[in-house]
Amino acid sequence: MTETQLKQNKALRDAPIGVFDSGVGGLTVVREIIRQIPNEKIIYFGDTARVPYGSKSRETVTRFSEQIVRFLRTFQVKTIVVACNTVSAYAMETLEQDCDIPIIEVVRPGARTAISATRNGRIGVIGTEATIGSQIYTRYIQELNRKVSIYGKACPLFVPLVEEGLLEDPVTDEIARRYLTELIDTGIDTLILGCTHYPLIRSTLGRIMGDEVTLVNPAYETAMELRRLLEVHDMLCQTPPTLGSNRYQFYVSDKADKFIRFANSIIKYGILSAKTINIEAY
């Protein structure tokens, strides 16, 4: 290998990872990436001005996603993580066609884990209206195992409740009980948290579903999938970033102060800043 090639490989390994979501939910994926792949730099974008995505059309979600990818590419990211189930359901085919770098999403890792976890072949999925309506989890799971039964339930109020910080609130508890009663009656033993916001209310969901139901957190599974991808492509960063190297950078489309407070409560890293950008310019 020539000296030039060695420099190119090092530059690729040292390049950041781009992560994006409709709002703060993707921070659960960032948290897992920090835990599982601690040497990596991260550029995160949360579309806080246009959240939620789950009630928007396929065309709108795709347009938003293309804008965000163009923004992340300005940082020469080596890969992009779509930390949003709605984008995974609506826009992945377009994004994969347009990207010449690896791009991964949160649905496939969660689906594979659910199949391994279920004992009775009954899997529940909760998500936004768009994710459940697309039946993307049903398709992926049945591609791998047609004997499994999948029960989907849209829970559209969970995202705004999480965005407002009502993680341990009686209102969230009451709404969760109303949503989940239908799934409990199906006899599922595995439940996929099909939105990256949902792990933030995992304790509430687990308490309502009971100990016999395994909760699948696609955020963790996505971080492990990302690690494998970086290893396969020889893009895993070998050394920790130096001090002052902007290890983690956060960008939003609105309400940066609120985002910083919320991000620090989730990641507990000491996030000091988040920049507001005009995403419509991309």
Side-chain angles (χ1 to χ4, degrees), residues 156-167 169 171-173 175-176 179 197 201 262:
L157 292 178
F158 282 168
V159 169
L161 287 169
V162 169
E163 293 276 342
E164 289 301 317
L166 301 175
L167 307 183
D169 191 275
V171 172
T172 303
D173 193 89
I175 290 172
Y179 281 150
H197 286 71
I201 53 172
F262 202 94

Side-chain angles (χ1 to χ4, degrees), residues 221-263:
E221 306 302 336
T222 300
M224 299 307 295
E225 181 87 355
L226 175 63
R227 183 184 181 92
R228 288 189 289 270
L229 181 147
L230 295 177
E231 288 174 340
V232 166
H233 290 277
D234 194 23
M235 294 193 296
L236 198 64
C237 189
Q238 304 298 318
T239 56
T242 58
L243 291 176
S245 61
N246 289 324
R247 187 172 186 174
Y248 307 128
Q249 298 180 53
F250 297 89
Y251 297 85
V252 294
S253 50
D254 196 16
K255 300 180 180 177
D257 291 343
K258 182 178 179 180
F259 175 87
I260 293 169
R261 290 194 299 272
F262 202 94

Side-chain angles (χ1 to χ4, degrees), residues 39-278:
N39 290 345
E40 300 296 335
K41 299 175 188 173
I42 298 170
I43 309 292
Y44 180 86
F45 177 79
D47 200 357
T48 49
R50 304 185 294 196
V51 69
Y53 279 11
S55 57
K56 294 178 172 62
S57 69
R58 179 183 299 271
E59 292 74 22
T60 297
V61 171
T62 299
R63 178 170 62 84
F64 288 176
S65 303
E66 290 175 316
Q67 290 173 336
I68 296 167
V69 167
R70 286 193 288 269
F71 167 69
L72 292 175
R73 294 298 299 270
T74 66
F75 294 91
Q76 285 76 52
V77 294
K78 59 186 175 185
T79 186
I80 291 176
V81 179
V82 177
C84 177
N85 284 263
T86 301
V87 174
S88 299
Y90 276 177
M92 275 303 294
E93 185 175 348
T94 298
L95 297 182
E96 288 173 334
Q97 289 173 351
D98 294 344
C99 265
D100 57 357
I101 60 173
I103 180 167
I104 67 171
E105 41 77 34
V106 291
V107 174
R108 289 182 178 88
R112 286 195 294 268
T113 301
I115 290 173
S116 300
T118 186
R119 303 176 303 280
N120 67 6
R122 292 172 173 263
I123 297 173
V125 183
I126 54 176
T128 66
E129 292 174 345
T131 298
I132 299 303
S134 72
Q135 295 196 334
I136 188 169
Y137 275 101
T138 299
R139 292 202 308 273
Y140 286 155
I141 290 172
Q142 292 194 333
E143 283 176 7
L144 298 172
N145 187 341
R146 290 194 171 276
K147 296 181 179 179
V148 172
S149 299
I150 303 99
Y151 303 87
K153 177 66 178 177
C155 303
L157 292 178
F158 282 168
V159 169
L161 287 169
V162 169
E163 293 276 342
E164 289 301 317
L166 301 175
L167 307 183
E168 299 286 346
D169 191 275
V171 172
T172 303
D173 193 89
E174 175 61 24
I175 290 172
R177 288 185 185 280
R178 293 191 183 195
Y179 281 150
L180 298 179
T181 296
E182 180 181 326
L183 286 177
I184 293 172
D185 292 342
T186 66
I188 61 170
D189 71 350
T190 304
L191 179 65
I192 299 173
L193 309 185
C195 173
T196 49
H197 286 71
Y198 295 0
L200 297 173
I201 53 172
R202 180 172 182 162
S203 60
T204 297
L205 301 177
R207 184 175 65 254
I208 292 170
M209 294 305 298
D211 294 338
E212 295 302 311
V213 177
T214 300
L215 302 186
V216 175
N217 177 8
Y220 169 79
E221 306 302 336
T222 300
M224 299 307 295
E225 181 87 355
L226 175 63
R227 183 184 181 92
R228 288 189 289 270
L229 181 147
L230 295 177
E231 288 174 340
V232 166
H233 290 277
D234 194 23
M235 294 193 296
L236 198 64
C237 189
Q238 304 298 318
T239 56
T242 58
L243 291 176
S245 61
N246 289 324
R247 187 172 186 174
Y248 307 128
Q249 298 180 53
F250 297 89
Y251 297 85
V252 294
S253 50
D254 196 16
K255 300 180 180 177
D257 291 343
K258 182 178 179 180
F259 175 87
I260 293 169
R261 290 194 299 272
F262 202 94
N264 278 314
S265 72
I266 297 170
I267 298 177
K268 305 185 186 305
Y269 177 76
I271 298 165
L272 300 178
S273 65
K275 296 180 180 178
T276 302
I277 65 158
N278 177 18

